[in-house]
Amino acid sequence: MDHHLAQHARSAASALLAAAICMAITQIIWLALGEDVSRALLFGLSLSSIAFGGTYAGTFFVGIRRAGDA
């Protein structure tokens, strides 16, 4: 596998894990507070997309910096 493709795969895997964890925590908290399921899903998707984007960008750029140092 190409080095850049492997880096994208690692970044995507980390970002998916962060989004899934964020969605689970959001659902537990919002449903425990008695909110409507549709609002909890919408809020969870919003937070998960932010977690996905931030984690993907962070792991990708840190990987580029580490590859440059080696």
PDB file of all heavy atoms in Angstrom, residues 20-41:
ATOM      1  N   ALA A  20     -17.625   7.873  16.450  1.00  0.00           N
ATOM      2  CA  ALA A  20     -18.495   6.878  17.076  1.00  0.00           C
ATOM      3  C   ALA A  20     -18.560   7.073  18.594  1.00  0.00           C
ATOM      4  O   ALA A  20     -19.640   6.985  19.195  1.00  0.00           O
ATOM      5  CB  ALA A  20     -18.004   5.477  16.750  1.00  0.00           C
ATOM      6  N   ILE A  21     -17.434   7.356  19.203  1.00  0.00           N
ATOM      7  CA  ILE A  21     -17.409   7.593  20.647  1.00  0.00           C
ATOM      8  C   ILE A  21     -18.203   8.850  20.984  1.00  0.00           C
ATOM      9  O   ILE A  21     -18.984   8.871  21.947  1.00  0.00           O
ATOM     10  CB  ILE A  21     -15.951   7.698  21.152  1.00  0.00           C
ATOM     11  CG1 ILE A  21     -15.276   6.336  21.070  1.00  0.00           C
ATOM     12  CG2 ILE A  21     -15.900   8.242  22.569  1.00  0.00           C
ATOM     13  CD1 ILE A  21     -13.781   6.373  21.325  1.00  0.00           C
ATOM     14  N   CYS A  22     -18.028   9.891  20.188  1.00  0.00           N
ATOM     15  CA  CYS A  22     -18.762  11.144  20.409  1.00  0.00           C
ATOM     16  C   CYS A  22     -20.265  10.916  20.270  1.00  0.00           C
ATOM     17  O   CYS A  22     -21.053  11.432  21.070  1.00  0.00           O
ATOM     18  CB  CYS A  22     -18.278  12.194  19.424  1.00  0.00           C
ATOM     19  SG  CYS A  22     -19.011  13.802  19.672  1.00  0.00           S
ATOM     20  N   MET A  23     -20.679  10.157  19.275  1.00  0.00           N
ATOM     21  CA  MET A  23     -22.101   9.880  19.076  1.00  0.00           C
ATOM     22  C   MET A  23     -22.666   9.089  20.251  1.00  0.00           C
ATOM     23  O   MET A  23     -23.763   9.395  20.743  1.00  0.00           O
ATOM     24  CB  MET A  23     -22.310   9.113  17.777  1.00  0.00           C
ATOM     25  CG  MET A  23     -23.754   8.759  17.510  1.00  0.00           C
ATOM     26  SD  MET A  23     -24.809  10.175  17.338  1.00  0.00           S
ATOM     27  CE  MET A  23     -25.220  10.075  15.632  1.00  0.00           C
ATOM     28  N   ALA A  24     -21.934   8.100  20.725  1.00  0.00           N
ATOM     29  CA  ALA A  24     -22.418   7.294  21.848  1.00  0.00           C
ATOM     30  C   ALA A  24     -22.567   8.133  23.112  1.00  0.00           C
ATOM     31  O   ALA A  24     -23.590   8.056  23.810  1.00  0.00           O
ATOM     32  CB  ALA A  24     -21.459   6.132  22.100  1.00  0.00           C
ATOM     33  N   ILE A  25     -21.585   8.957  23.409  1.00  0.00           N
ATOM     34  CA  ILE A  25     -21.653   9.800  24.604  1.00  0.00           C
ATOM     35  C   ILE A  25     -22.802  10.795  24.493  1.00  0.00           C
ATOM     36  O   ILE A  25     -23.550  11.016  25.457  1.00  0.00           O
ATOM     37  CB  ILE A  25     -20.307  10.525  24.830  1.00  0.00           C
ATOM     38  CG1 ILE A  25     -19.236   9.505  25.237  1.00  0.00           C
ATOM     39  CG2 ILE A  25     -20.435  11.613  25.884  1.00  0.00           C
ATOM     40  CD1 ILE A  25     -17.837  10.068  25.266  1.00  0.00           C
ATOM     41  N   THR A  26     -22.956  11.386  23.313  1.00  0.00           N
ATOM     42  CA  THR A  26     -24.042  12.345  23.109  1.00  0.00           C
ATOM     43  C   THR A  26     -25.403  11.690  23.298  1.00  0.00           C
ATOM     44  O   THR A  26     -26.289  12.255  23.945  1.00  0.00           O
ATOM     45  CB  THR A  26     -23.952  12.957  21.700  1.00  0.00           C
ATOM     46  OG1 THR A  26     -22.674  13.558  21.544  1.00  0.00           O
ATOM     47  CG2 THR A  26     -25.023  13.987  21.470  1.00  0.00           C
ATOM     48  N   GLN A  27     -25.576  10.506  22.742  1.00  0.00           N
ATOM     49  CA  GLN A  27     -26.859   9.813  22.869  1.00  0.00           C
ATOM     50  C   GLN A  27     -27.162   9.474  24.319  1.00  0.00           C
ATOM     51  O   GLN A  27     -28.295   9.651  24.773  1.00  0.00           O
ATOM     52  CB  GLN A  27     -26.863   8.539  22.015  1.00  0.00           C
ATOM     53  CG  GLN A  27     -26.822   8.799  20.535  1.00  0.00           C
ATOM     54  CD  GLN A  27     -27.945   9.679  20.078  1.00  0.00           C
ATOM     55  OE1 GLN A  27     -29.107   9.430  20.367  1.00  0.00           O
ATOM     56  NE2 GLN A  27     -27.614  10.736  19.368  1.00  0.00           N
ATOM     57  N   ILE A  28     -26.182   8.993  25.039  1.00  0.00           N
ATOM     58  CA  ILE A  28     -26.400   8.627  26.439  1.00  0.00           C
ATOM     59  C   ILE A  28     -26.799   9.854  27.254  1.00  0.00           C
ATOM     60  O   ILE A  28     -27.771   9.821  28.020  1.00  0.00           O
ATOM     61  CB  ILE A  28     -25.134   7.958  27.021  1.00  0.00           C
ATOM     62  CG1 ILE A  28     -24.943   6.575  26.386  1.00  0.00           C
ATOM     63  CG2 ILE A  28     -25.220   7.851  28.538  1.00  0.00           C
ATOM     64  CD1 ILE A  28     -23.610   5.944  26.686  1.00  0.00           C
ATOM     65  N   ILE A  29     -26.068  10.945  27.076  1.00  0.00           N
ATOM     66  CA  ILE A  29     -26.351  12.149  27.863  1.00  0.00           C
ATOM     67  C   ILE A  29     -27.704  12.750  27.485  1.00  0.00           C
ATOM     68  O   ILE A  29     -28.523  13.064  28.354  1.00  0.00           O
ATOM     69  CB  ILE A  29     -25.219  13.179  27.700  1.00  0.00           C
ATOM     70  CG1 ILE A  29     -23.946  12.661  28.377  1.00  0.00           C
ATOM     71  CG2 ILE A  29     -25.623  14.532  28.273  1.00  0.00           C
ATOM     72  CD1 ILE A  29     -22.725  13.509  28.129  1.00  0.00           C
ATOM     73  N   TRP A  30     -27.952  12.931  26.186  1.00  0.00           N
ATOM     74  CA  TRP A  30     -29.192  13.590  25.771  1.00  0.00           C
ATOM     75  C   TRP A  30     -30.419  12.751  26.094  1.00  0.00           C
ATOM     76  O   TRP A  30     -31.436  13.290  26.495  1.00  0.00           O
ATOM     77  CB  TRP A  30     -29.141  13.925  24.282  1.00  0.00           C
ATOM     78  CG  TRP A  30     -28.490  15.245  24.053  1.00  0.00           C
ATOM     79  CD1 TRP A  30     -27.185  15.555  24.280  1.00  0.00           C
ATOM     80  CD2 TRP A  30     -29.109  16.439  23.620  1.00  0.00           C
ATOM     81  NE1 TRP A  30     -26.961  16.860  23.984  1.00  0.00           N
ATOM     82  CE2 TRP A  30     -28.113  17.431  23.574  1.00  0.00           C
ATOM     83  CE3 TRP A  30     -30.393  16.755  23.240  1.00  0.00           C
ATOM     84  CZ2 TRP A  30     -28.383  18.719  23.178  1.00  0.00           C
ATOM     85  CZ3 TRP A  30     -30.659  18.049  22.831  1.00  0.00           C
ATOM     86  CH2 TRP A  30     -29.666  19.018  22.806  1.00  0.00           C
ATOM     87  N   LEU A  31     -30.335  11.445  25.920  1.00  0.00           N
ATOM     88  CA  LEU A  31     -31.492  10.609  26.235  1.00  0.00           C
ATOM     89  C   LEU A  31     -31.691  10.502  27.742  1.00  0.00           C
ATOM     90  O   LEU A  31     -32.819  10.374  28.214  1.00  0.00           O
ATOM     91  CB  LEU A  31     -31.344   9.238  25.589  1.00  0.00           C
ATOM     92  CG  LEU A  31     -31.404   9.263  24.052  1.00  0.00           C
ATOM     93  CD1 LEU A  31     -31.155   7.869  23.491  1.00  0.00           C
ATOM     94  CD2 LEU A  31     -32.721   9.823  23.552  1.00  0.00           C
ATOM     95  N   ALA A  32     -30.601  10.557  28.504  1.00  0.00           N
ATOM     96  CA  ALA A  32     -30.734  10.549  29.962  1.00  0.00           C
ATOM     97  C   ALA A  32     -31.391  11.833  30.464  1.00  0.00           C
ATOM     98  O   ALA A  32     -32.076  11.827  31.488  1.00  0.00           O
ATOM     99  CB  ALA A  32     -29.370  10.374  30.612  1.00  0.00           C
ATOM    100  N   LEU A  33     -31.195  12.921  29.731  1.00  0.00           N
ATOM    101  CA  LEU A  33     -31.827  14.187  30.110  1.00  0.00           C
ATOM    102  C   LEU A  33     -33.279  14.265  29.661  1.00  0.00           C
ATOM    103  O   LEU A  33     -33.962  15.242  29.945  1.00  0.00           O
ATOM    104  CB  LEU A  33     -31.045  15.366  29.505  1.00  0.00           C
ATOM    105  CG  LEU A  33     -29.652  15.589  30.077  1.00  0.00           C
ATOM    106  CD1 LEU A  33     -28.943  16.691  29.305  1.00  0.00           C
ATOM    107  CD2 LEU A  33     -29.729  15.930  31.558  1.00  0.00           C
ATOM    108  N   GLY A  34     -33.745  13.262  28.951  1.00  0.00           N
ATOM    109  CA  GLY A  34     -35.141  13.210  28.558  1.00  0.00           C
ATOM    110  C   GLY A  34     -35.462  13.926  27.257  1.00  0.00           C
ATOM    111  O   GLY A  34     -36.616  14.243  26.999  1.00  0.00           O
ATOM    112  N   GLU A  35     -34.466  14.175  26.435  1.00  0.00           N
ATOM    113  CA  GLU A  35     -34.706  14.847  25.158  1.00  0.00           C
ATOM    114  C   GLU A  35     -35.334  13.885  24.156  1.00  0.00           C
ATOM    115  O   GLU A  35     -35.282  12.666  24.311  1.00  0.00           O
ATOM    116  CB  GLU A  35     -33.393  15.392  24.579  1.00  0.00           C
ATOM    117  CG  GLU A  35     -32.824  16.561  25.329  1.00  0.00           C
ATOM    118  CD  GLU A  35     -33.650  17.812  25.200  1.00  0.00           C
ATOM    119  OE1 GLU A  35     -34.283  18.020  24.147  1.00  0.00           O
ATOM    120  OE2 GLU A  35     -33.679  18.588  26.175  1.00  0.00           O
ATOM    121  N   ASP A  36     -35.911  14.449  23.118  1.00  0.00           N
ATOM    122  CA  ASP A  36     -36.510  13.671  22.043  1.00  0.00           C
ATOM    123  C   ASP A  36     -35.411  12.942  21.265  1.00  0.00           C
ATOM    124  O   ASP A  36     -34.300  13.456  21.098  1.00  0.00           O
ATOM    125  CB  ASP A  36     -37.267  14.621  21.113  1.00  0.00           C
ATOM    126  CG  ASP A  36     -38.062  13.890  20.061  1.00  0.00           C
ATOM    127  OD1 ASP A  36     -38.435  12.724  20.302  1.00  0.00           O
ATOM    128  OD2 ASP A  36     -38.311  14.493  19.004  1.00  0.00           O
ATOM    129  N   VAL A  37     -35.728  11.752  20.768  1.00  0.00           N
ATOM    130  CA  VAL A  37     -34.738  10.936  20.067  1.00  0.00           C
ATOM    131  C   VAL A  37     -34.258  11.624  18.793  1.00  0.00           C
ATOM    132  O   VAL A  37     -33.063  11.615  18.487  1.00  0.00           O
ATOM    133  CB  VAL A  37     -35.315   9.534  19.744  1.00  0.00           C
ATOM    134  CG1 VAL A  37     -34.360   8.739  18.886  1.00  0.00           C
ATOM    135  CG2 VAL A  37     -35.636   8.784  21.020  1.00  0.00           C
ATOM    136  N   SER A  38     -35.150  12.256  18.060  1.00  0.00           N
ATOM    137  CA  SER A  38     -34.744  12.909  16.809  1.00  0.00           C
ATOM    138  C   SER A  38     -33.804  14.085  17.074  1.00  0.00           C
ATOM    139  O   SER A  38     -32.840  14.285  16.344  1.00  0.00           O
ATOM    140  CB  SER A  38     -35.967  13.379  16.026  1.00  0.00           C
ATOM    141  OG  SER A  38     -36.694  14.326  16.773  1.00  0.00           O
ATOM    142  N   ARG A  39     -34.059  14.843  18.119  1.00  0.00           N
ATOM    143  CA  ARG A  39     -33.153  15.950  18.467  1.00  0.00           C
ATOM    144  C   ARG A  39     -31.820  15.415  18.944  1.00  0.00           C
ATOM    145  O   ARG A  39     -30.766  15.992  18.647  1.00  0.00           O
ATOM    146  CB  ARG A  39     -33.773  16.822  19.538  1.00  0.00           C
ATOM    147  CG  ARG A  39     -34.928  17.646  19.003  1.00  0.00           C
ATOM    148  CD  ARG A  39     -35.367  18.656  19.996  1.00  0.00           C
ATOM    149  NE  ARG A  39     -34.287  19.639  20.141  1.00  0.00           N
ATOM    150  CZ  ARG A  39     -34.313  20.611  21.025  1.00  0.00           C
ATOM    151  NH1 ARG A  39     -35.335  20.722  21.836  1.00  0.00           N
ATOM    152  NH2 ARG A  39     -33.330  21.472  21.105  1.00  0.00           N
ATOM    153  N   ALA A  40     -31.834  14.321  19.679  1.00  0.00           N
ATOM    154  CA  ALA A  40     -30.585  13.725  20.156  1.00  0.00           C
ATOM    155  C   ALA A  40     -29.756  13.211  18.984  1.00  0.00           C
ATOM    156  O   ALA A  40     -28.530  13.367  18.966  1.00  0.00           O
ATOM    157  CB  ALA A  40     -30.880  12.591  21.142  1.00  0.00           C
ATOM    158  N   LEU A  41     -30.419  12.603  17.989  1.00  0.00           N
ATOM    159  CA  LEU A  41     -29.691  12.129  16.807  1.00  0.00           C
ATOM    160  C   LEU A  41     -29.105  13.284  16.014  1.00  0.00           C
ATOM    161  O   LEU A  41     -27.960  13.220  15.550  1.00  0.00           O
ATOM    162  CB  LEU A  41     -30.606  11.295  15.919  1.00  0.00           C
ATOM    163  CG  LEU A  41     -30.899   9.885  16.385  1.00  0.00           C
ATOM    164  CD1 LEU A  41     -31.931   9.235  15.471  1.00  0.00           C
ATOM    165  CD2 LEU A  41     -29.635   9.065  16.427  1.00  0.00           C
TER     166      LEU A  41
END
